[in-house]
Amino acid sequence: QVQLVQSEGGSVQAGGSLTLTCATSGHTDETFCMGWARQVSGKNREGVASIESDGHTSYADSVKGRFTISKDNAENTLYLQMDNLMPDDTAVYYCSVVSRETTMGTGVPCTNLLNTDLAVWSRGAQVSVSS
């Protein structure tokens, strides 16, 4: 099992930047894909960005060109660089990982599993953007 420790969020003004980190430990060699999601109170959780084992990345349309997901395999750490933040980005942000075993067992693309209960989730951190 993989454990996730996420950095604290923060408060910034519109147009500002913030970087979230997610340190993984445990059976990190089992990680197949990783991602970030966010949730506004009263709304469904939304996938924000994902990165696969080969480094391929994908983003929600709402953050394309502003957010960058990356990972440091040596440090077992996932990052989300958020630039040009807008008030609509205010949410609780979570990182998640899906294992190779889960992916192969379901036959579903790994990134499709990131925003499900089959993923391992961090505790989440509040990001607030003021106008």
Side-chain angles (χ1 to χ4, degrees):
Q1 182 78 340
V2 175
Q3 292 81 45
L4 306 178
V5 177
Q6 186 180 338
S7 61
E8 296 292 325
S11 298
V12 298
Q13 289 190 321
S17 298
L18 201 62
T19 300
L20 301 179
T21 66
C22 181
T24 67
S25 62
H27 295 279
T28 58
D29 57 321
E30 298 175 356
T31 298
F32 205 42
C33 66
M34 310 174 76
W36 293 93
R38 64 188 183 187
Q39 188 168 25
V40 176
S41 180
K43 294 188 176 181
N44 291 333
R45 192 170 54 207
E46 170 195 24
V48 172
S50 64
I51 185 166
E52 300 177 52
S53 56
D54 63 359
H56 179 74
T57 59
S58 60
Y59 298 90
D61 288 342
S62 58
V63 305
K64 275 181 183 176
R66 300 188 298 119
F67 289 13
T68 304
I69 187 172
S70 62
K71 61 178 179 173
D72 184 329
N73 291 327
E75 297 293 329
N76 294 318
T77 301
L78 180 71
Y79 302 93
L80 184 68
Q81 173 68 39
M82 304 183 289
D83 297 318
N84 192 21
L85 283 160
M86 302 185 297
D88 283 350
D89 295 318
T90 296
V92 177
Y93 283 72
Y94 303 86
C95 59
S96 65
V97 303
V98 174
S99 71
R100 182 183 303 272
E101 179 181 8
T102 296
T103 302
M104 299 306 172
T106 62
V108 175
C110 188
T111 52
N112 287 6
L113 298 172
L114 280 170
N115 198 23
T116 72
D117 291 341
L118 293 177
V120 177
W121 290 92
S122 66
R123 296 179 67 179
Q126 177 70 44
V127 172
S128 299
V129 185
S130 58
S131 57

